Amino acid sequence: MKKIFTLISLLVLALTVQAQTLIDYPKSQAGITKSGTTDFSTVKIYTNTTTINGVKFANGYTTSGALNSNYATISVEGGFKAGDVITIAGAFNNSDETKKAAVDIFTVGEANAITVLFTTKQFVNGRTSADDPVEETYTLTEDYDILYLGRNGNTGTLITTLRVDRGEVKPSDPTAPTTWDFTQVLSDNDAANLAADANTWTFDEDNNYWKNVAVLAERNVFEPLKANDVELELTKGLTFTRDNSAGLGEDRVRIKSKNYLAVNGSAVSINLGALVKDDVIKLKFKGSGESERSLTVSNTELVSGSLTTADVEEHEVELKVLKDNLVIITTTNGFQFMAITVNAELPTGVGSVKAESAKAKVAGAVNLAGQQVGAGYKGIVVKDGKKVFQ
C-alpha cells in the first residue's frame, strides 16, 4: 500500500511540475485589469453562508454596437499562446428569473472591432441556485497579447473563477460528418411537440408552416430551438440568437416540413458549434425575397458559390473552416435553408419535394408534420386552425 501511495504521489508531483498556471483568480488578482464599471466584488450562493469573491461587470461592454469601457483585460508576461486553457465560472444575484448573466472572452482589433472568441453558458443565480458555479474551459487556438472579458446578459455578472493554464496545441480530428436536412418530413416527436406548444409555436394554415410566436432567446445568448420544452430533432446541435435588444423575437423562425427552415429578418445568427480547422461546410439556401441580402459565416473562407443573393433561386455554397473555433451564420435579411452539412455532401433530395395527388387531399387538413392528408387518414389533424381527431 505504501508503494502505491508513493507512486501516486510522484505522479501528482510530476503533473504539478509540468503545469503552469498563468492567472489564478480569486487566489490572486494578478493579470486582471478592470475598467469602466467593472470592479472586484462579492456574491452569495443560496446554500453557502459565506460570500464568494468575483470580478463584477455592472454593465455591458458595447454601446450601440461600439466598444465602451465596461470590461476587464487579462494579460501575462510574454502574452497568451495557442493551447493555453482558460477556466471560467460565475454567478449573479437577481430575484428576476428572466435575467441572463454570462461573459464573453473577446479581442479588440483595428477601429475597436470586436471579435468574440467564447461565450460562457448562463451563470448560476445565487438567489435561486443550490449549486456552486459551474466551471467551463476554452482552449486558445492562436497567440494573443491580451484578452478582454465583458458581460453578456442583462444583469450584474460576476466571474468567481478565472484560471489560465499553459497548455500545448494538439492536432484536432476532423469533425464527424453532420447533416441538417430541412427538406425531410418532421419527425413524429417534433410534430407532436410543436402542436403541444401553443405558447411558442403556431401553425400558419395559409402558408403551411410552423412559426414561432414568442421570444426564444435573449440578445446574443445562443439557445437551441425547443417546442414543448424539448429540443427539436430537426435542428439538434444548432443554437440561435439575434443581435437585437428584444432577442430572437416573434416570427423569426419558420419551419415548413419537407421544404425549409427559414430565418426571418436581419441579424439572426445560427451557431454550428466549435468546428475544426479545414472542416468543410456546405449550405443550400434561398433568399426569402428578391431584394439583395447576404450571409456572413464567421471563421471560414469561401471555396465556391456566393453568400449574396438577390433572387429566390436555390444556391449552394462551400466554405472551409480557418481554425478550431465556433462557426456562426448571420443574416442581413430573410433566408430559407434547405440543408447545412459539415464534412458531408448535401442531401441529393434537397428541393425535390413531390406533389401529392390533389384527389387525396382534404382542403385545410394537415397532420402534425404539416403534410396535407386525405379523408382516410386517422389521427390528430389541423383544420381551420384547430387540432381535431380524424
Side-chain angles (χ1 to χ4, degrees):
M1 178 63 73
K2 185 176 181 181
K3 289 182 178 179
I4 293 174
F5 178 77
T6 302
L7 181 60
I8 293 173
S9 299
L10 289 172
L11 179 59
V12 171
L13 180 60
L15 291 173
T16 304
V17 170
Q18 290 176 2
Q20 181 186 5
T21 300
L22 307 178
I23 294 176
D24 197 359
Y25 177 83
K27 291 182 180 179
S28 168
Q29 296 177 1
I32 302 172
T33 303
K34 55 192 180 66
S35 65
T37 58
T38 302
D39 208 343
F40 294 110
S41 185
T42 58
V43 63
K44 184 178 287 187
I45 305 300
Y46 180 72
T47 56
N48 295 345
T49 57
T50 58
T51 55
I52 303 175
N53 292 326
V55 183
K56 182 177 181 179
F57 299 90
N59 296 288
Y61 63 90
T62 60
T63 302
S64 300
L67 183 70
N68 59 37
S69 62
N70 302 321
Y71 55 79
T73 57
I74 54 175
S75 59
V76 294
E77 185 176 354
F80 299 102
K81 306 297 181 184
D84 288 350
V85 179
I86 301 175
T87 301
I88 190 168
F92 68 103
N93 272 358
N94 200 303
S95 57
D96 184 349
E97 294 185 359
T98 67
K99 294 296 184 181
K100 301 288 184 180
V103 162
D104 287 339
I105 301 173
F106 62 98
T107 61
V108 178
E110 295 182 4
N112 283 337
I114 299 167
T115 300
V116 176
L117 304 177
F118 179 74
T119 300
T120 68
K121 294 180 181 178
Q122 166 81 346
F123 283 166
V124 300
N125 187 344
R127 293 279 185 94
T128 59
S129 176
D131 300 319
D132 289 331
V134 179
E135 291 188 354
E136 298 180 68
T137 60
Y138 172 69
T139 302
L140 298 179
T141 58
E142 294 183 9
D143 296 351
Y144 297 99
D145 293 333
I146 62 173
L147 294 170
Y148 295 75
L149 305 169
R151 188 178 87 180
N152 185 319
N154 54 8
T155 191
T157 303
L158 292 99
I159 295 175
T160 57
T161 297
L162 178 61
R163 190 174 66 253
V164 182
D165 296 302
R166 174 96 331 143
E168 58 178 339
V169 176
K170 296 180 181 179
S172 300
D173 294 328
T175 301
T178 308
T179 298
W180 291 278
D181 181 1
F182 306 120
T183 67
Q184 63 183 307
V185 176
L186 284 174
S187 69
D188 291 342
N189 289 337
D190 280 358
N193 286 323
L194 285 164
D197 190 357
N199 292 326
T200 307
W201 297 89
T202 187
F203 187 75
D204 186 321
E205 188 175 347
D206 292 336
N207 294 294
N208 201 30
Y209 57 58
W210 291 96
K211 66 178 181 181
N212 68 297
V213 291
V215 173
L216 302 182
E218 293 293 331
R219 176 180 182 267
N220 288 338
V221 177
F222 284 95
E223 292 182 355
L225 290 184
K226 292 184 177 182
N228 203 25
D229 205 31
V230 177
E231 184 174 3
L232 292 175
E233 295 172 1
L234 182 72
T235 56
K236 193 172 184 63
L238 300 175
T239 54
F240 298 75
T241 193
R242 188 175 185 227
D243 185 13
N244 183 284
S245 59
L248 187 60
E250 180 176 346
D251 198 21
R252 293 300 172 190
V253 177
R254 299 169 180 172
I255 297 171
K256 188 168 185 176
S257 181
K258 302 191 298 181
N259 281 265
Y260 57 72
L261 170 82
V263 289
N264 184 26
S266 62
V268 178
S269 294
I270 306 173
N271 187 353
L272 276 60
L275 300 184
V276 175
K277 183 178 184 295
D278 294 331
D279 277 351
V280 175
I281 299 169
K282 293 184 178 180
L283 310 175
K284 190 157 192 174
F285 59 84
K286 292 180 181 180
S288 296
E290 295 184 350
S291 60
E292 184 171 306
R293 60 200 65 210
S294 62
L295 299 171
T296 58
V297 186
S298 68
N299 186 30
T300 61
E301 64 178 359
L302 188 64
V303 176
S304 64
S306 174
L307 292 169
T308 300
T309 177
D311 55 44
V312 291
E313 303 300 321
E314 290 183 355
H315 294 265
E316 292 186 13
V317 167
E318 182 175 324
L319 307 111
K320 185 170 73 173
V321 177
L322 295 176
K323 60 185 179 182
D324 296 7
N325 211 331
L326 300 176
V327 172
I328 298 171
I329 303 170
T330 303
T331 67
T332 60
N333 210 324
F335 277 86
Q336 297 172 1
F337 291 91
M338 275 67 77
I340 300 173
T341 69
V342 177
N343 296 332
E345 295 301 318
L346 288 166
T348 56
V350 172
S352 60
V353 179
K354 295 181 180 179
E356 298 179 31
S357 169
K359 186 176 181 180
K361 295 178 183 178
V362 175
V366 296
N367 64 16
L368 295 180
Q371 301 165 280
Q372 290 187 296
V373 296
Y377 179 86
K378 294 181 180 180
I380 298 175
V381 299
V382 179
K383 189 173 183 179
D384 297 327
K386 297 178 180 178
K387 292 190 289 291
V388 297
F389 185 80
Q390 178 169 290

